[in-house]
Amino acid sequence: MTPEVTALDDGGLDGGSAAATQPGLTLLPAAMTFNQEHLDRIGLRGGRFVRISSLCSAIFKRFMTPASSGPLVNLNHVCFAYGEREILHGVDLTVHRGQVVAIMGGSGSGKTTLLRLIGGQLRANAGTVEVDGQDMGRLPIPALYALRRRMGMLFQFGALFTDMNVFDNVAFPLREHTALPAGLIRDLVLMKLHAVGLRGAAALMPSALSGGMARRVALARAVALDPMLMLYDEPFAGLDPISLGTIGHLIRRLNDALGAASIMVTHDVQASLDLVDYVYFVSEGRIVAHGAPTEIRASADPFVHQFVHAEADGPVPFHYPAPPLASLLDGALA
Amino acid sequence: MSRTTLDLWVGLFVALGFAALVFLAVKVGSYTDAPGGATYTVEAAFDNIGGLKTRAPVKSAGVVVGRVGGIHFDSQSYRAIVRLDLQRRYEFPVDTSASILTSGLLGEQYIGLDPGADSEILEDGDKLQITQSAVVLEKLIGQFLFNKAAETPTHGASAQ
Amino acid sequence: MNALLRRIGAMTVDGVWRLGFMARFFLALLRCSGQSFRRLPLTIREIYFSGVLSLLIILVSGLFVGLVLGLQGYDILQRFGSSDALGIMVALSLLRELGPVVAGLLFASRAGSAVTAEIGLMKTTEQLQAMDMMAVNPIARVVAPRFWGGVISMPLLAAMFSAMGIFGGWLIGVVAIGVDDGAFWSQMRASVDFRYDIVNGTIKSFVFGVAVSLIAVFEGYDCQPTAEGVSRAITRTVVSSALAILALDFVLTSFMFRGL
């Protein structure tokens, strides 16, 4: 007997059935339906799974109730400077629920700064950064932390806690923010690890993981609390093509499954154009171009063209500003 | 490392630490002055206290019965007033005498109490009437030389 | 001349700025300390790392310091014919000075540097930032337990150091040289006062524990997030801890043991 059990689709459960009827609110990737074999493999018995799914939806509701129907992230003419050094000059940017948005640009163009402004790690000098209708610039610390519980961030190199094994890393947000019993945390963590394909690596220490695996574990940790907004800082940097494809696929799938929005800072054009819904190009602290991937590919804008086709020279010059070489040589000869 | 091993080690560590403290407290140190409230104070006036210091022991029959609580100079009588903190459990008659003694030839100075014969006992705030000052070595030597000098002529006379 | 004055000025401003930053950091740490005691396993883990792992070096050094004190003390005291006072000398010098100070210096180089390195590396690898983004305050979760672990470990380590040193002095004096056993202990007991010597020594070691732990967590938290920055922070932890211990020792001694 192998009854097909879709995640959260258990009739007669308080909370469970209600959540399941709402479209786009499935906790696990829609494609991941569980049959008995799957459940056995994760080591879950049916009854237990039913309990978990009802609890998941309870957590889900607590953390994911949308506060407003407008865009999830809205940057309005944001300026930012580190002391004297100006990084951003008037950036406008909008991200809606369900979207995966890429912010692209060369190194030092201010895209990571943008991500930190959205995450509330930095505060804008002028303009407003709104996340879920709340102004990040004026949010007191407790409210900021409350908002961050509904955000997940993937750091460039994963930033796994090196003194804990993979399991404890993923369990960390659950243990810090919920009072769930140990058995339930175990089940939730194994589900998250299963979603990134690393359930078998639960007992490893981060030092034993490859770069791609570390990032997948970090991804599982970032989605542990089922966030409404995912931030990715260079998710593709330094990965081999297979890991790169895996991460890209996971980003898209998790976003759709969570009904969340994702913002990805990257300079990997080809990998990201395939999976995102919208692209912003940043150069020298300004948004120079934006549009859907098809528009970007067809764009005649010289900067976008240079970036997408990886040309050495163009609007972004090959040479750092310097006096003409001829004048230098003349001076040396004189 | 599992939680229980960690707890075990830390438990062992803390126990060892406290054991060391207890060892220091019991075997190495001593509670020379009992906690406040268990002492009573009497005063004694001396012409000269020599090298007596505060917290020097007060002994009777060689047993430490208290500590010197304080020393000050009384500008009316030009004498040194010494406050003695005696332990409650020791009682002395009112006609007890106090003298400043030295342990060994060059040792520290302490106060010796010689109990009298009165039936009344000393109370908090009483004054000791009979005191004997410290023996000052310079004076002793001076006296010795003076005596010698006084003796010399008779010796000389007998030799002649 | 102008450049020299400017450098002195810059150093002063920088020093005052750092001191102010450290004071604010300390306040933030104290405010976030509740969790260290509500979730005791966090602190217990740090007591293991800073206390239990320092145990061996503390006990061995304590023993050797005691052995040396026994030899030197006997050599000096027997010139005055008072080798019976060996116990007093060993016990007082350990309890009042050597115990807290040497244990503090060893603690700074063994545990303090490890704490700085750990926090510094967590900062370098963005673990602290990641924690902050997960709405977990890194000062409460990472810094405070390490601070309190150090503060709790240090007085215990100093007491063990002193006890071990006295044992070492006893080994040399009584067992090896042949000072009378009874005289050794009774003279020691007669002259070592619990409140005056032992409690004051413990207060000293507690103060050193606070200073070393604060310096260690602060340098780690404040370090430049590069390999070089972490190594510089570790050096600074050891150097500033040593200076802080010696300076504080002078101040505390002058308050505690001002001529009787």
Side-chain angles (χ1 to χ4, degrees), chain A residues 121 145 148 162 176-177, chain C residues 39 127 129 132 134-135 141:
Chain A
Q121 290 175 292
Y145 269 16
R148 278 189 187 161
T162 40
E176 292 293 323
H177 292 310
Chain C
R39 290 176 59 188
Q127 292 179 46
Q129 268 193 51
D132 196 36
M134 281 187 259
R141 183 63 173 64

Side-chain angles (χ1 to χ4, degrees), chain C residues 66-243:
Chain C
L67 294 176
V68 169
L69 273 178
L71 281 176
Q72 294 281 20
Y74 181 77
D75 181 56
I76 294 169
L77 290 174
Q78 57 99 21
R79 295 181 200 183
F80 304 102
S82 44
S83 52
D84 282 354
L86 185 63
I88 304 177
M89 191 185 140
V90 171
L92 283 186
S93 46
L94 276 168
L95 289 171
R96 287 180 173 192
E97 289 299 333
L98 290 176
V101 171
V102 179
L105 293 175
L106 290 172
F107 180 73
S109 38
R110 170 67 186 78
S113 60
V115 165
T116 305
E118 197 186 7
I119 297 180
L121 277 173
M122 287 183 88
K123 186 180 183 184
T124 310
T125 52
E126 292 182 314
Q127 292 179 46
L128 296 183
Q129 268 193 51
M131 212 174 263
D132 196 36
M133 278 307 293
M134 281 187 259
V136 176
N137 186 347
I139 294 191
R141 183 63 173 64
V142 172
V143 172
R146 281 166 178 74
F147 174 77
W148 288 110
V151 170
I152 293 169
S153 302
M154 181 58 212
L156 299 176
L157 287 172
M160 286 186 239
F161 185 94
S162 297
M164 206 62 194
I166 290 168
F167 173 68
W170 176 81
L171 271 185
I172 283 290
V174 176
V175 178
I177 297 178
V179 175
D180 181 59
D181 190 35
F184 184 88
W185 291 110
S186 63
Q187 291 249 8
M188 180 158 46
R189 285 204 60 185
S191 316
V192 177
D193 183 60
F194 178 73
R195 254 192 295 169
Y196 190 66
D197 296 311
I198 297 176
V199 172
N200 275 347
T202 309
I203 291 173
K204 268 189 180 180
S205 60
F206 173 76
V207 172
F208 297 164
V210 172
V212 172
S213 303
L214 179 62
I215 289 171
V217 293
F218 175 75
E219 290 294 354
Y221 195 79
D222 185 49
C223 78
Q224 293 287 328
T226 59
E228 195 207 353
V230 174
S231 81
R232 264 214 305 265
I234 296 170
T235 312
R236 266 211 304 270
T237 293
V238 176
V239 173
S240 346
S241 298
L243 290 178

Side-chain angles (χ1 to χ4, degrees), chain B residues 1 3 5-7 9-10 13-14 16-18 20-21 23-36 53-55 67, chain C residues 41 44-45 47-49 51-52 55 91 95 152-153 156-157 159-160 162-163 166 185 188-190 192-196 198 202 260:
Chain B
M1 171 154 320
R3 177 70 195 285
T5 359
L6 201 94
D7 284 355
W9 273 107
V10 172
F13 169 72
V14 174
L16 261 178
F18 277 102
L21 273 176
F23 165 76
L24 294 179
V26 173
K27 192 90 172 123
V28 176
S30 51
Y31 304 82
T32 37
D33 34 19
K53 302 255 168 49
T54 46
R55 298 182 35 76
R67 294 261 154 189
Chain C
I44 286 180
R45 188 176 166 279
I47 295 178
Y48 177 82
F49 282 113
V52 176
L55 203 54
L95 289 171
I152 293 169
S153 302
L156 299 176
L157 287 172
M160 286 186 239
S162 297
I166 290 168
W185 291 110
M188 180 158 46
R189 285 204 60 185
V192 177
D193 183 60
F194 178 73
R195 254 192 295 169
Y196 190 66
I198 297 176
T202 309
L260 290 166

Side-chain angles (χ1 to χ4, degrees), chain B residues 25 34 72 76 82 108 125-126 128 146 149 159:
Chain B
H72 67 272
Q76 249 79 58
V82 176
E108 60 172 343
D126 282 355
L128 293 179
F146 184 78

Side-chain angles (χ1 to χ4, degrees), chain A residues 46-297:
Chain A
R48 203 157 166 204
F49 184 68
V50 165
R51 262 190 294 130
I52 297 165
S53 56
S54 68
L55 202 125
C56 288
S57 60
I59 301 170
F60 192 72
K61 272 193 196 151
R62 187 176 147 209
F63 287 110
M64 298 262 319
T65 6
S68 62
S69 52
L72 188 60
V73 178
N74 190 16
L75 269 66
N76 190 9
H77 220 75
V78 169
C79 298
F80 182 81
Y82 283 113
E84 302 277 293
R85 202 156 56 90
E86 282 194 40
I87 307 289
L88 299 175
H89 325 264
V91 170
D92 295 296
L93 187 148
T94 309
V95 179
H96 293 277
R97 288 186 172 77
Q99 270 188 328
V100 178
V101 171
I103 300 174
M104 290 193 207
S107 309
S109 56
K111 51 192 190 327
T112 301
T113 308
L114 262 178
L115 206 62
R116 294 190 170 183
L117 283 165
I118 296 168
Q121 290 175 292
L122 298 172
R123 297 199 170 190
N125 300 119
T128 54
V129 178
E130 280 180 16
V131 176
D132 198 26
Q134 303 195 58
D135 185 350
M136 299 298 277
R138 296 216 198 91
L139 224 48
I141 296 290
L144 181 66
Y145 269 16
L147 193 58
R148 278 189 187 161
R149 288 184 191 200
R150 303 194 289 147
M151 290 186 193
M153 181 156 180
L154 182 69
F155 282 82
Q156 190 167 351
F157 297 106
L160 292 178
F161 302 129
T162 40
D163 55 339
M164 303 176 193
N165 66 15
V166 166
F167 181 93
D168 290 331
N169 260 287
V170 180
F172 183 84
L174 294 167
R175 287 181 179 150
E176 292 293 323
H177 292 310
T178 68
L180 297 176
L184 255 173
I185 286 186
R186 181 184 154 271
D187 295 346
L188 280 171
V189 168
L190 289 180
M191 283 164 75
K192 299 292 172 190
L193 280 173
H194 185 81
V196 297
L198 288 175
R199 189 165 41 80
L204 296 181
M205 292 303 282
S207 51
L209 301 177
S210 71
M213 282 161 82
R215 227 164 293 182
R216 273 148 73 188
V217 173
L219 191 55
R221 184 180 68 179
V223 298
L225 288 174
D226 300 328
M228 60 165 185
L229 174 65
M230 282 295 301
L231 305 172
Y232 298 94
D233 187 6
E234 303 277 10
F236 304 124
L239 290 185
D240 64 84
I242 298 175
S243 308
L244 193 148
T246 315
I247 294 279
H249 187 59
L250 277 173
I251 290 174
R252 184 76 239 184
R253 233 178 46 173
L254 286 170
N255 190 69
D256 296 346
L258 293 167
S262 301
I263 301 174
M264 181 192 332
V265 156
T266 180
H267 43 232
D268 194 314
V269 181
Q270 297 313 328
S272 40
L273 281 185
D274 291 343
L275 74 103
V276 301
D277 300 311
Y278 208 80
V279 180
Y280 285 89
F281 273 98
V282 186
S283 177
E284 288 169 9
R286 285 189 177 80
I287 302 282
V288 289
H290 57 95
T294 43
E295 294 166 22
I296 293 296
R297 281 207 178 91

